[in-house]
Amino acid sequence: SYVFRDREIWIGVILLALSAIGVWASYLIAHLPAADPEKKLPKNIFKPLFDNLRVLLHARPLALSVLGIAFFIFMVSYMRAVMYMHGQSRNPPWNELHTSLVVAFVALGVGLGSPLAGYLSGGKIELGLVPLGCLGMMGASTLAALTINQELALILALIIIGFFSGFYMVPLYTLLQHRAPRQSKGELIATSNFINVTGAIAASLLFYLLVTASQAIGVAPVVEQTDMIAVGELIDIKKDKHGKPDLITIRPEEGEDITFHVQPKIPFKGDVAEFINELIEQMPNDNEIEFDENLLEVFGGGVQIGSSVVVSKHVIGDVTRFRVRAEGNPLKTVYDFRRLPFYLFLGAALMTLIILVLLVRKLPDFFVRTLFWLRSLGKFRLKAVGMQNLPTAGPVILATNCDRLESSLQMVSATDRSTLFVLWENPSGREIARVLRALAKRSSLVEVSKANHQDWLAAHARAKKALHHGDLLAVTLDGHADDEVASLLADLRQDSAAPIVPVFCGALDGGPPANVRVVFGAPLGDDASLDDIRQEIRRLGVWIRANDGTSEAAH
């Protein structure tokens, strides 16, 4: 309405045109058969919502994605409110167009970051980008707080926030769409949107509570006001082309009419120096005219020409603001919010840190994935095949050929669940990678060797604990520690009913970058021997090389 004041019909025309373009674009989507054509409309329309919530929260990959996406929507609503408060607290205040343009730079950042995140993901769900996105948003929010009064620097910080939010969002949205069951994919995405709306409402409530708290503790101090500088009938209102009042005239019961200008009307008498002096004397500050908000104005009520009004005055910084209210209404308290956006941006950084901690609790090896992704840039492009064979919930034993740190982390990065890897590493191919190895051993890696019996005892204990928590457990089966591996599998089978999923990891060519495939096979029967499992892993390797990685499923 700022640009199309008194021409609001064009807003409807533009929206109608965009809708028509959307309808036309929808016809370009390939037709897909219904996932569940026999499904009927439930009698209790709320039951599917609760059922889908249980599914989302029970499956760790889906819970991870839904929690992360909801936080993003929460932050979008929160940051928008902060920026509009910041615009209103400027001296002089930003108009609607100015504020909207500044906020739009976040979208520019998202538009730059999201395609890059998709490209860097290398054709798979790269969850290692999520912590990188969180850290980038935290740093950019802190930068925005420190440069809150420097508009160009603030815009740069907003672009960076949007850029890293693309790194944060792309893997999570992809994870939700990829891991949602085919029969209920649409329902689960709709339920995720319900959670997102709840997050947006929560952001509004939190913003209100923070503003109220800032008023109570003095971060937003009370502004001293001079009341009743004019009392009488409102006889004239003049507005600028955007509908903002820039002149009002009050007719008191006695005396001459009183006029308030946004820009004082000083007659020019031919003397430039005298005109400038009068301008300085009469207008030491920028002026603003405000009306008390009143929802009844929609129905013809509120302050209008002919209403009896009271004008008060207050000064914030270099701006004098005249506030008009209906006579009989109490004088509202005015607060100075200029310092508050600084703390609200710092609060955004803190909340991003909190969500990162919560996500790490869902996926403890997050930072291992991030460091491994950074270390692997340009070396290989990894693709996961047969992910439908990997359950979204419950304990699973992944029997794999990975016998090096790099290949084991390639397999872990192809999964979307918390994974503990019992690695029997080939001594001839042992990599140094001290930082990465140390970080992995703290969260997701247990190294064993044939000669060290204590390592195997520790591996038994941690493996049982991982399965008990419903996590993935990966075990190196190709190697020379046959007795130890057979003993570990027998112990785990006795203690847990976790299915065994064979996994092959290997490169299709020499590159660079090498095309690495991680192939998840169908779960094996409980009676599968160690040799049977190894044979199935080799079969997956032969199959993926024969198909050159073009197939999406391991049969």
Side-chain angles (χ1 to χ4, degrees):
S1 63
Y2 183 85
V3 175
F4 294 100
R5 176 70 62 177
D6 299 325
R7 297 176 296 154
E8 285 82 359
I9 188 173
W10 285 106
I11 299 176
V13 171
I14 292 172
L15 293 177
L16 181 61
L18 292 174
S19 300
I21 293 173
V23 171
W24 170 79
S26 68
Y27 284 101
L28 301 178
I29 302 174
H31 175 73
L32 295 175
D36 190 359
E38 303 299 326
K39 192 164 189 175
K40 298 180 180 179
L41 183 68
K43 295 181 180 179
N44 182 354
I45 61 174
F46 295 104
K47 185 177 183 300
L49 173 63
F50 295 119
D51 292 341
N52 292 326
L53 284 172
R54 279 194 293 268
V55 172
L56 287 174
L57 298 179
H58 179 68
R60 287 199 177 188
L62 297 177
L64 176 73
S65 62
V66 168
L67 175 64
I69 293 170
F71 174 75
F72 175 77
I73 303 301
F74 171 92
M75 286 300 296
V76 167
S77 301
Y78 175 86
M79 297 289 283
R80 183 186 294 116
V82 172
M83 284 306 304
Y84 275 94
M85 167 177 279
H86 177 64
Q88 287 299 307
S89 66
R90 294 304 84 204
N91 281 323
W94 292 350
N95 57 43
E96 294 176 11
L97 180 61
H98 190 160
T99 304
S100 298
L101 288 176
V102 172
V103 173
F105 279 102
V106 178
L108 173 62
V110 174
L112 294 173
S114 296
L116 181 61
Y119 173 77
L120 294 176
S121 295
K124 73 178 186 69
I125 303 172
E126 183 50 76
L127 294 176
L129 294 177
V130 176
L132 195 62
C134 283
L135 294 175
M137 288 191 291
M138 287 167 54
S141 297
T142 304
L143 176 63
L146 297 176
T147 61
I148 192 70
N149 295 318
Q150 303 170 34
E151 188 169 343
L152 289 179
L154 176 61
I155 288 174
L156 176 61
L158 293 177
I159 293 175
I160 297 173
I161 289 174
F163 179 84
F164 280 103
S165 68
F167 279 57
Y168 173 85
M169 285 303 301
V170 167
L172 294 177
Y173 267 118
T174 307
L175 177 62
L176 174 61
Q177 296 190 21
H178 184 72
R179 293 295 271 169
R182 179 176 176 273
Q183 293 79 5
S184 58
K185 192 182 296 289
E187 291 184 15
L188 294 181
I189 293 176
T191 304
S192 175
N193 291 334
F194 169 80
I195 298 174
N196 295 341
V197 172
T198 304
I201 295 173
S204 299
L205 293 175
L206 177 63
F207 183 79
Y208 172 78
L209 292 174
L210 291 176
V211 171
T212 303
S214 72
Q215 297 168 352
I217 64 178
V219 173
V222 176
V223 177
E224 183 179 353
Q225 301 182 76
T226 303
D227 196 17
M228 304 183 72
I229 62 173
V231 179
E233 180 185 355
L234 179 64
I235 63 171
D236 190 20
I237 303 176
K238 286 186 171 56
K239 300 180 180 181
D240 62 19
K241 63 180 181 179
H242 302 298
K244 188 174 182 179
D246 61 3
L247 180 147
I248 60 172
T249 301
I250 309 297
R251 176 166 292 167
E253 292 184 1
E254 299 181 0
E256 299 180 353
D257 294 348
I258 304 173
T259 299
F260 297 91
H261 297 277
V262 169
Q263 299 293 338
K265 308 302 181 185
I266 303 173
F268 179 64
K269 301 175 182 178
D271 188 330
V272 176
E274 181 182 355
F275 175 77
I276 293 175
N277 287 333
E278 288 189 33
L279 183 65
I280 293 174
E281 290 177 2
Q282 296 187 34
M283 187 186 170
N285 306 317
D286 292 318
N287 294 341
E288 291 287 330
I289 298 174
E290 303 172 344
F291 284 80
D292 276 354
E293 296 178 1
N294 193 328
L295 295 178
L296 292 178
E297 290 179 359
V298 177
F299 305 102
V303 175
Q304 304 175 9
I305 291 179
S307 299
S308 296
V309 298
V310 179
V311 180
S312 60
K313 181 180 76 171
H314 63 272
V315 178
I316 298 179
D318 296 328
V319 177
T320 299
R321 305 190 184 193
F322 301 102
R323 193 167 187 87
V324 184
R325 70 182 190 274
E327 188 175 10
N329 288 352
L331 178 67
K332 292 183 178 180
T333 305
V334 175
Y335 296 91
D336 183 355
F337 291 113
R338 287 178 296 171
R339 288 192 298 164
L340 185 55
F342 168 80
Y343 295 103
L344 293 177
F345 270 111
L346 289 183
L350 177 60
M351 286 186 285
T352 306
L353 175 61
I354 292 173
I355 196 65
L356 178 57
V357 172
L358 292 176
L359 292 176
V360 169
R361 288 179 63 86
K362 291 287 184 183
L363 196 65
D365 56 6
F366 245 139
F367 286 104
V368 175
R369 295 168 184 258
T370 301
L371 182 58
F372 181 65
W373 173 78
L374 290 171
R375 186 173 180 268
S376 304
L377 280 176
K379 294 182 179 180
F380 59 81
R381 294 181 65 83
L382 190 150
K383 183 178 181 180
V385 180
M387 282 291 289
Q388 74 279 357
N389 292 321
L390 183 63
T392 59
V396 180
I397 299 174
L398 304 177
T400 176
N401 64 315
C402 301
D403 60 354
R404 297 174 60 243
L405 178 65
E406 181 179 67
S407 60
S408 66
L409 293 181
Q410 286 171 344
M411 196 222 71
V412 169
S413 65
T415 67
D416 49 23
R417 296 178 53 188
S418 180
T419 306
L420 177 68
F421 203 112
V422 178
L423 173 63
W424 187 95
E425 192 167 13
N426 188 341
S428 63
R430 182 177 174 83
E431 303 155 288
I432 300 177
R434 292 186 179 88
V435 176
L436 181 60
R437 188 181 296 272
L439 188 60
K441 289 173 71 173
R442 290 180 61 89
S443 61
S444 59
L445 183 67
V446 179
E447 293 184 298
V448 292
S449 63
K450 185 175 178 61
N452 195 323
H453 183 65
Q454 294 301 320
D455 287 348
W456 285 101
L457 291 179
H460 279 245
R462 288 192 62 181
K464 289 182 178 180
K465 185 176 180 181
L467 293 178
H468 178 72
H469 287 165
D471 295 335
L472 302 180
L473 172 68
V475 181
T476 303
L477 259 67
D478 273 14
H480 304 288
D482 291 0
D483 294 339
E484 290 81 356
V485 170
S487 175
L488 175 62
L489 288 180
D491 192 17
L492 296 177
R493 281 174 162 174
Q494 184 178 2
D495 193 64
S496 172
I500 296 180
V501 174
V503 183
F504 171 83
C505 179
L508 298 181
D509 55 53
N515 290 316
V516 176
R517 297 292 182 262
V518 177
V519 189
F520 296 89
L524 301 177
D526 295 338
D527 57 345
S529 66
L530 185 59
D531 288 338
D532 294 336
I533 300 172
R534 285 175 173 170
Q535 184 176 354
E536 182 62 20
I537 295 172
R538 296 189 189 98
R539 190 194 68 82
L540 293 174
V542 172
W543 175 84
I544 194 65
R545 289 191 174 97
N547 287 272
D548 197 25
T550 57
S551 179
E552 292 297 327
H555 301 289

